[in-house]
Amino acid sequence: MIDFLKKYSLPIGLRKSIKKNIATRQNPHYRDASRILIFFTSEGNQKFAIVKGLQNRFEKEGKKVKCLYILLKDEDKPDVHMDEGMQRLLPDDFSLFGDIHKPEVNELLAADFDFMIHSDLEANIYSDLVMAKSKAKCRIGRYFEGHDEQYDMMIGIDEDKKINFLLDQLYHYTKAL
């Protein structure tokens, strides 16, 4: 019953979150940036390995990187230790209108990250809510039609491209800033 209600109430909460988020947006220079938040939807161990690769690339350049992921389905749960050091978010952590009931996630989203990178090929209502609540200076992700209020920079890629290609593009364009 709650899932049925959330289907209709979460979009209302999303619009509210977009209006409430008055964070100062800017395009910081990559060379001056120090903190990056990578956000993604869990799709199994392979996705975790690919995202960890992106995290390592940023860390080799001296950036402090945090990772946040949302686990929508139990079968996408990572193996033990794959998500070590990452913050997990579940659909149950969202209220009926999209408020997050996990203080450590709220702290991450309220932090002044230089960049927040959404590393998914597809958007969902939960990823939209997280992106809308972020106070990061620059929110970057794939181009999703009609989602431009949640992003400061969107990268268009063809539908047939894989996650590796998206992450390479996200890395390339983030470094170009």
Side-chain angles (χ1 to χ4, degrees):
M1 181 67 167
I2 294 291
D3 290 335
F4 177 75
L5 290 173
K6 279 187 175 182
K7 180 179 177 183
Y8 297 101
S9 63
L10 287 176
I12 295 168
L14 175 60
R15 286 191 297 278
K16 184 178 87 176
S17 292
I18 291 170
K19 285 181 185 176
K20 277 178 54 177
N21 191 341
I22 55 170
T24 304
R25 303 288 177 205
Q26 52 187 298
N27 287 338
H29 292 286
Y30 179 77
R31 69 179 179 277
D32 299 332
S34 61
R35 300 180 65 206
I36 297 173
L37 176 63
I38 299 174
F39 170 63
F40 64 101
T41 303
S42 176
E43 295 171 6
N45 290 332
Q46 184 180 6
K47 178 112 177 234
F48 276 85
I50 294 168
V51 169
K52 283 231 185 231
L54 178 63
Q55 179 182 6
N56 291 337
R57 287 168 85 177
F58 285 128
E59 287 175 343
K60 282 181 185 172
E61 296 175 359
K63 310 302 181 198
K64 293 178 184 152
V65 182
K66 298 276 186 183
C67 291
L68 169 66
Y69 73 94
I70 184 160
L71 179 64
L72 297 177
K73 298 180 265 180
D74 254 2
E75 58 264 18
D76 291 333
K77 195 174 193 176
D79 286 344
V80 177
H81 303 299
M82 282 293 285
D83 64 348
E84 193 171 318
M86 296 182 179
Q87 234 4 285
R88 177 172 40 189
L89 194 54
L90 302 169
D92 291 343
D93 294 328
F94 289 86
S95 73
L96 204 55
F97 287 98
D99 292 324
I100 298 172
H101 296 301
K102 205 167 185 182
E104 52 274 8
V105 171
N106 285 323
E107 281 179 34
L108 269 180
L109 296 177
D112 63 337
F113 286 97
D114 295 302
F115 298 105
M116 180 173 183
I117 299 174
H118 182 206
S119 306
D120 283 333
L121 289 170
E122 295 181 21
N124 58 64
I125 188 66
Y126 298 106
S127 63
D128 288 346
L129 283 162
V130 169
M131 293 304 290
K133 290 176 180 298
S134 171
K135 302 282 192 239
K137 293 174 186 166
C138 184
R139 301 167 299 174
I140 304 169
R142 180 179 184 206
Y143 174 76
F144 302 112
E145 190 172 338
H147 294 243
D148 52 325
E149 291 178 315
Q150 289 100 290
Y151 298 89
D152 303 304
M153 185 169 94
M154 298 174 88
I155 299 166
I157 64 168
D158 293 332
E159 293 293 322
D160 63 342
K161 298 296 182 190
K162 303 280 186 227
I163 189 71
N164 285 335
F165 181 78
L166 173 63
L167 294 187
D168 285 342
Q169 294 298 300
L170 289 168
Y171 178 74
H172 172 78
Y173 284 106
T174 302
K175 279 192 69 168
L177 291 174

